[in-house]
Amino acid sequence: MNTDGIILDIDGTLWNSTPIVAKAWNEILETRSDIPFRFTAEQLAGLFGRPLPVIADMAFPFLPEADRYALIDECCRREHELLRASSEDILYPGVDRTIRTLSRSVPLFIVSNCQCGYIELFLEKTGLGAFITDSECAGNTGLPKGPNIRMTAERNHLSRPVYVGDIDGDRIAAEEADVRFCHASYGFGAAARADWVIRRFDELLELFA
């Protein structure tokens, strides 16, 4: 298929960090007597893909805004520490080889609703930084995914980009950015429709290499 750039989501598309993130967030929640629950990896999979303030609103609606946003920031700081320290391979099968191979024929990008530093941490942990041309996130711009996809496409002069993501929110963001959408159906959620559907990440090679 004809494309001049593939823009990738991270969580649910490139790796599954939810077990480590659940451990990190629960360590922070253990210090709070006013929060009676703990997260499972499955619950986090249902929250991921949204900007952090939205996740905080959904997870801690009973807390004052300032408190819930400070708490989610604290959770993310601990998340980064545990992810950096972990030796576990949490990439989906075929991601490493596919990115290295695909980057020879088409530029690759990352756009996520994540916090500042998360994309950099992903690239550091995986050693894939040399294969990613550019990246953007909500933590840097304060913007949701759709405008960040469009911004990334425009500043890299892409005329036929494709966004690869795993949830319907990714499909909506791609449509907002006027970008074609490929659904990573092995990830965290369904999509109402898509231009392409992949069941494994390495199927991108069959579509775009």
Side-chain angles (χ1 to χ4, degrees):
M1 296 296 177
N2 191 13
T3 181
D4 58 356
I6 298 175
I7 307 173
L8 303 165
D9 178 42
I10 295 183
D11 291 307
T13 301
L14 300 180
W15 74 5
N16 181 4
S17 65
T18 55
I20 297 172
V21 175
K23 183 177 187 297
W25 288 23
N26 288 339
E27 286 183 7
I28 300 302
L29 298 189
E30 288 288 347
T31 69
R32 298 284 300 249
S33 60
D34 57 338
I35 300 179
F37 60 84
R38 302 294 179 263
F39 287 108
T40 65
E42 291 73 22
Q43 287 170 330
L44 289 182
L47 291 173
F48 277 14
R50 302 170 175 86
L52 277 179
V54 175
I55 293 176
D57 291 341
M58 295 174 67
F60 312 115
F62 50 88
L63 296 177
E65 277 193 4
D67 190 13
R68 75 178 77 137
Y69 299 153
L71 177 58
I72 203 75
D73 287 343
E74 190 176 359
C75 287
C76 287
R77 283 193 294 272
R78 184 58 178 153
E79 165 190 327
H80 280 210
E81 291 172 354
L82 291 194
L83 282 170
R84 183 167 283 110
S86 174
S87 60
E88 184 180 356
D89 181 7
I90 58 175
L91 286 174
Y92 285 108
V95 166
D96 183 278
R97 181 183 67 85
T98 300
I99 284 181
R100 291 171 187 270
T101 303
L102 199 56
S103 67
R104 298 173 194 157
S105 56
V106 60
L108 303 179
F109 308 85
I110 291 177
V111 172
S112 169
N113 270 333
C114 63
Q115 65 272 24
C116 293
Y118 189 77
I119 296 175
E120 292 80 1
L121 176 60
F122 169 83
L123 296 175
E124 172 193 329
K125 289 292 294 183
T126 61
L128 293 172
F131 307 98
I132 302 299
T133 300
D134 190 13
S135 64
E136 195 54 87
C137 72
N140 288 338
T141 66
L143 299 172
K145 187 173 285 184
N148 284 331
I149 294 172
R150 174 42 45 193
M151 182 189 309
T152 300
E154 289 178 350
R155 75 182 177 213
N156 289 282
H157 311 291
L158 304 180
S159 60
R160 302 178 307 279
V162 174
Y163 189 71
V164 183
D166 63 300
I167 62 174
D168 202 51
D170 294 328
R171 188 267 307 172
I172 293 169
E175 289 184 356
E176 291 172 348
D178 194 25
V179 166
R180 294 171 296 172
F181 177 61
C182 178
H183 180 224
S185 63
Y186 54 82
F188 293 160
R193 55 186 174 274
D195 296 288
W196 303 276
V197 177
I198 55 173
R199 295 166 296 173
R200 305 182 319 273
F201 188 78
D202 60 10
E203 289 179 5
L204 289 177
L205 293 172
E206 301 171 17
L207 291 174
F208 302 113

